[in-house]
Amino acid sequence: MPKTAASTDSLHGFEPYKETKGEEYMNEKQQEHFRNLLLAWKAELMAEVDRTVSHMKDEAANFPDPADRASQEEEFSLELRTRDRERKLIKKIDATLELIDQDDYGFCEACGVDIGIRRLEARPTATLCVDCKTLAEIKERQISG
Ligand SMILES: [Zn+2]
């Protein structure tokens, strides 16, 4: 099958996991696959955070024009929000790596079923199966109106 940019992007350069017939769900090989995937993703995010911090240091010049200053501040605050999201994501990745170490990775935390390899490859930090996730989203919508 030809490699598409989309599939390798979401897997951070990794090939999708190929299960062998009768393979046990979340055996050591699968855990290893997801550990590598999460570590690669984390490394990408951390490089991204570093890049922004140094970019902001470089650009933190004094603009004499208030309009330039304002647009720079706006740009920085947008970047800071992005960085904040990335830091939270890194924390979530760390928590997920811990789950792998404890042999708890890959199972729905609400109902206990297998979350599934394909879903985890699309969302390595998922802690809910599709059904529970859908339910949680419906509930959330009802609460927020
Ligand atoms: Zn579930």
Side-chain angles (χ1 to χ4, degrees):
M1 227 168 38
K3 257 202 260 179
T4 64
S7 73
T8 49
D9 272 5
S10 63
L11 287 174
H12 311 281
F14 288 88
E15 294 287 330
Y17 188 84
K18 285 188 191 72
E19 293 165 86
T20 53
K21 220 179 153 209
E23 185 177 321
E24 194 199 338
Y25 181 68
M26 278 305 140
N27 61 28
E28 268 181 44
K29 259 173 70 191
Q30 295 184 10
Q31 288 184 341
E32 195 55 32
H33 172 70
F34 285 106
R35 184 180 286 118
N36 289 336
L37 212 143
L38 285 156
L39 286 171
W41 188 16
K42 184 180 163 182
E44 278 172 30
L45 286 168
M46 288 175 69
E48 190 61 23
V49 172
D50 278 356
R51 205 175 53 81
T52 313
V53 171
S54 59
H55 165 79
M56 282 178 41
K57 275 189 197 139
D58 290 347
E59 295 243 323
N62 285 316
F63 288 111
D65 185 339
D68 286 347
R69 254 197 327 264
S71 77
Q72 192 198 27
E73 274 166 21
E74 204 174 299
E75 187 198 322
F76 279 7
S77 83
L78 186 76
E79 292 211 18
L80 284 175
R81 275 204 297 276
T82 310
R83 293 303 83 92
D84 191 49
R85 256 204 314 275
E86 284 168 354
R87 280 199 195 90
K88 284 191 183 121
L89 201 50
I90 289 170
K91 265 194 199 149
K92 186 138 196 223
I93 291 172
D94 282 337
T96 308
L97 286 164
E98 216 152 287
L99 280 182
I100 297 180
D101 289 341
Q102 294 161 1
D103 279 339
D104 279 334
Y105 180 68
F107 302 96
C108 176
E109 65 178 12
C111 72
V113 303
D114 302 354
I115 294 175
I117 305 243
R118 293 291 92 90
R119 172 161 163 75
L120 287 170
E121 282 183 331
R123 280 202 55 164
T125 54
T127 53
L128 293 172
C129 70
V130 179
D131 291 345
C132 292
K133 179 72 185 166
T134 308
L135 200 67
E137 278 169 2
I138 293 169
K139 278 187 191 155
E140 211 168 287
R141 268 203 296 278
Q142 282 168 346
I143 291 164
S144 60

